[in-house]
Amino acid sequence: MTEPLSEPLPESTTVAIVGAGPAGLTLAILLHTLGIDCVVLEQRDRSHVEQRQRAGVLDYRAGRIFSDFGLAGPILADAPPDSHLEIRFDGVPRLLDVPALAGGRHSRIVPQQLLVRRLIAALDERGADLRFDARDVAVHDLDATRPRVTYRDAAGVAHEVACDYLAGCDGYHGVTRRGIPEGAITTYSFDHGIRWLTVLADSPPPRRPLMGISPAGFAAQFARGPRASRFYLQYRPDEDPLRWDEERIWSQLRLRLGDEALPGGPVTERDIVAMRSFVVEPMSYGRLFLVGDAAHIITPMGAKGMNLALTDAEALARGLAAAVRDGDDSGLRGYSATCLERTWDYQEFSRWFSEMVHDAGDGSQVGPFRHRLAQARLDRLFRSAPAAAAFADLMAGTD
Ligand code: RFL
């Protein structure tokens, strides 16, 4: 650890935001729009933050935040609407027109790094205070009237920012949640027992989001720009898919997606994704409010992680504006309950979806009974209009 070159430089703001991912940046732009002063402290450098690839879908509910705040132009421009979802069962395609089933509420394809880049550009244009390379961030006096955040900048200079409110937007591994005294929050963790190999490849994107259910295991293909695809392949606990050669990856994808002609291409990235869930209750302590992955993580099924981060940010921005401008703290008092309701709804949805696409194909891990249940769940989606509409409602995002 670098020694401080001087005593901390004392500064003051209304809201100190730790973390410049989707949650922190969205909160910052909404606060800015509402005329509330804030400082964003991010440990990584700007280009790292702008290039981090993860989520790809902005659901209707989260996209509406930017329209409601008059930010559709800079943030949502040219984001193509999401279309049908294709689920291939043993190679046979079945299509769900999700936007039509959701009453015209369509999601948009917005890669996370594009959203982040646009948020940073919009904040820069408005002269917002974004500080990258903030090292050794620590939070203090969370239950006092003026909490503090300390950090060192890239030159090693120590800073101290006093604030009225603190937003912990620093993701699952961040420091803000750890500043809460033990016993003040309850954590719920769950390992779904499902593992994926995720592969990014220079291979033409599918016409629509595609999932394959087969006895060989689950696979999926999503667009990542005009020339690249992200693939997911379930693997068994006794396998080490990071050792699979490219030929095996492509042959497994062709088998599971039921497409002998699926074009291959250079694999540019591969990683392991463990399906885990985590929720903290309540999502606040004193004047600290946890937002996004700092408060909850969810499996990628249903694509809700980034969307939850954004809806949390909106609820907090509105609560903070009412408290700061009108002295009305009811929004802040209700913040945790409001966000947790949606979080648990999505956790349940994501678990339901995961069981359907994994266990309907390969029943060997869960046994014949759960295998048949998962198949019934899948069939119902294509047979029952109310069941399909309920699914599409959650995909579009709930109010
Ligand atoms: P983030 O994105 O983790 O950002 C947290 C930020 O805080 C910074 N930070 C700190 N800064 C200062 N001091 C510290 N001590 C700090 N510690 C951390 C970090 O550098 C970072 O910049 O959390 P946020 O903003 O809450 O956003 C959450 C989303 O990123 C996350 O839910 C999604 O990426 C999850 N996710 C997906 N979500 C979807 O909605 N759809 C998807 O298709 C989807 N796919 C995915 C995903 C997450 C993945 N991984 C690996 C986590 C696919 C993957 C592979």
Side-chain angles (χ1 to χ4, degrees):
M1 197 157 59
T2 327
E3 283 303 310
L5 298 178
S6 59
E7 282 299 301
L9 297 170
E11 297 171 77
S12 176
T13 187
T14 306
V15 184
I17 299 174
V18 181
L25 294 168
T26 300
L27 178 61
I29 193 103
L30 301 186
L31 288 177
H32 205 276
T33 308
L34 293 164
I36 312 282
D37 165 51
C38 65
V39 172
V40 182
L41 301 174
E42 163 60 46
Q43 68 178 358
R44 310 302 296 253
D45 63 45
R46 179 180 176 137
S47 81
H48 177 94
V49 170
E50 288 184 336
Q51 281 163 34
R52 201 162 32 200
Q53 277 228 15
R54 285 179 176 177
V57 178
L58 192 64
D59 72 19
Y60 171 82
R61 175 64 187 80
R64 209 183 68 202
I65 297 170
F66 299 109
S67 320
D68 289 351
F69 277 76
L71 295 163
I75 307 300
L76 302 178
D78 308 320
D82 207 2
S83 66
H84 292 69
L85 171 65
E86 179 172 346
I87 300 183
R88 283 194 199 143
F89 188 74
D90 284 344
V92 179
R94 292 164 134 187
L95 294 184
L96 274 177
D97 187 347
V98 180
L101 289 163
R105 294 178 299 149
H106 63 78
S107 305
R108 296 165 194 267
I109 311 294
V110 184
Q112 185 164 328
Q113 71 276 19
L114 177 67
L115 176 71
V116 162
R117 274 204 299 273
R118 287 183 170 184
L119 287 166
I120 291 175
L123 283 160
D124 274 349
E125 201 174 289
R126 288 159 176 75
D129 193 345
L130 292 182
R131 304 183 190 181
F132 293 96
D133 287 310
R135 321 253 163 93
D136 305 332
V137 171
V139 293
H140 314 270
D141 308 331
L142 298 180
D143 48 5
T145 4
R146 295 282 286 167
R148 291 174 300 123
V149 194
T150 52
Y151 73 98
R152 289 171 214 277
D153 63 25
V157 178
H159 296 254
E160 178 179 291
V161 184
C163 55
D164 295 332
Y165 300 99
L166 242 168
C169 305
D170 48 349
Y172 177 65
H173 299 287
V175 290
T176 56
R177 190 178 66 243
R178 282 183 257 141
I180 301 176
E182 218 176 301
I185 48 172
T186 305
T187 57
Y188 299 85
S189 302
F190 186 70
D191 184 338
H192 296 259
I194 297 167
R195 299 286 182 270
W196 286 350
L197 169 66
T198 165
V199 169
L200 193 63
D202 294 333
S203 154
R207 283 177 56 206
R208 47 181 85 95
L210 171 62
M211 296 183 183
I213 299 175
S214 85
F218 171 76
Q221 182 184 8
F222 301 108
R224 288 293 184 266
R227 279 176 296 278
S229 292
R230 182 170 285 284
F231 295 95
Y232 294 106
L233 290 119
Q234 179 187 9
Y235 64 91
R236 305 175 62 86
D238 55 347
E239 291 176 303
D240 179 5
L242 290 176
R243 300 169 78 104
W244 291 3
D245 58 24
E246 291 199 13
E247 202 182 300
R248 179 158 179 201
I249 291 174
W250 292 112
S251 68
Q252 279 296 313
L253 284 168
R254 289 180 184 123
L255 172 71
R256 297 176 190 198
L257 296 174
D259 181 1
E260 272 305 306
L262 177 76
V267 169
T268 51
E269 198 185 293
R270 60 170 87 189
D271 208 349
I272 297 300
V273 178
M275 294 267 209
R276 292 210 175 89
S277 291
F278 172 80
V279 182
V280 166
E281 285 189 355
M283 287 169 54
S284 60
Y285 173 78
R287 288 181 169 251
L288 168 68
F289 295 86
L290 299 174
V291 188
D293 277 19
H296 40 68
I297 57 169
I298 187 165
T299 82
M301 290 308 307
K304 291 301 177 191
M306 182 173 80
N307 293 300
L308 272 176
L310 268 50
T311 46
D312 286 358
E314 182 198 22
L316 184 57
R318 292 191 189 282
L320 287 168
V324 172
R325 295 198 311 212
D326 313 322
D328 169 10
D329 68 354
S330 57
L332 290 182
R333 278 188 277 112
Y335 168 74
S336 177
T338 302
C339 297
L340 284 170
E341 186 174 82
R342 186 182 281 115
T343 300
W344 282 114
D345 236 8
Y346 286 178
Q347 292 285 4
E348 190 282 326
F349 173 56
S350 175
R351 168 77 184 172
W352 175 96
F353 202 174
S354 297
E355 287 185 353
M356 180 176 78
V357 299
H358 294 90
D359 302 340
D362 172 9
S364 63
Q365 287 187 54
V366 292
F369 183 76
R370 294 236 335 247
H371 185 46
R372 293 295 292 117
L373 283 188
Q375 289 184 339
R377 192 176 282 186
L378 178 70
D379 285 341
R380 194 189 306 124
L381 266 192
F382 294 92
R383 200 185 54 234
S384 152
F391 173 83
D393 183 48
L394 282 152
M395 289 294 283
T398 54
D399 273 318

